[in-house]
Amino acid sequence: MKSDHLTKGRNYEILIRRAHNCEKGRKYGADSELYYELVQLELQNIDSVRYLWRFEKLKKYIAGALFKLRKRKRYLGSENEFSPILDKLNNAKNANDLAKIASLGLAKIIECENRLRESG
């Protein structure tokens, strides 16, 4: 179970870093520790103000990354690629939902990169 959280946290961090082209750090939320802390807060009390605040913060970081990817010139026409993932983000209810959305975002990046390689 712990390794599952490690993978999910790593995927979250990689999504943010790829979107913002940045190093690990808290500026854009590009730190897997933020995800691990959210999971710990969720296990303690999902109704706590601290959990709800952290959840919304991570949701905002993911939304920022998806918006950035959507506008990237490199992925011409990517508005249509990342918008459905943003829609799913609006319905996220817990840390696991956020992890699934981060994984979808990463998969979409890989798909766009593969299309670029094939066309160029």
Side-chain angles (χ1 to χ4, degrees), residues 15 82 85 101-114:
L15 172 69
F82 294 99
I85 301 170
I101 291 162
S103 292
L104 285 172
L106 279 176
K108 193 54 73 175
I109 289 171
I110 292 166
E111 186 180 312
C112 289
E113 292 286 332
N114 287 340

Side-chain angles (χ1 to χ4, degrees), residues 76-89:
L76 227 62
S78 62
E79 302 88 23
N80 299 334
E81 302 286 343
F82 294 99
S83 292
I85 301 170
L86 273 165
D87 290 341
K88 289 181 185 214
L89 182 62

Side-chain angles (χ1 to χ4, degrees), residues 34-59 92-99:
L34 294 172
Y35 180 80
Y36 306 142
E37 290 168 8
L38 179 70
V39 169
Q40 290 305 311
L41 289 170
E42 187 174 280
L43 292 173
Q44 292 170 12
N45 182 2
I46 197 165
D47 294 321
S48 74
V49 173
R50 194 167 170 211
Y51 168 77
L52 295 172
W53 181 83
R54 179 61 58 93
F55 177 79
E56 289 301 321
K57 190 167 183 102
L58 263 69
K59 198 170 166 181
K93 304 279 187 239
N94 56 44
N96 197 46
D97 289 348
L98 294 181

Side-chain angles (χ1 to χ4, degrees), residues 2 5-6 8-14 24-26 29-41 50 54 58 61:
K2 181 146 174 90
H5 292 311
L6 292 174
K8 289 176 181 179
R10 196 170 28 248
N11 285 347
Y12 161 80
E13 180 182 322
I14 292 168
K24 180 176 182 160
R26 295 199 174 215
D31 190 343
S32 58
E33 286 297 318
L34 294 172
Y35 180 80
Y36 306 142
E37 290 168 8
L38 179 70
V39 169
Q40 290 305 311
L41 289 170
R50 194 167 170 211
R54 179 61 58 93
L58 263 69
Y61 286 143

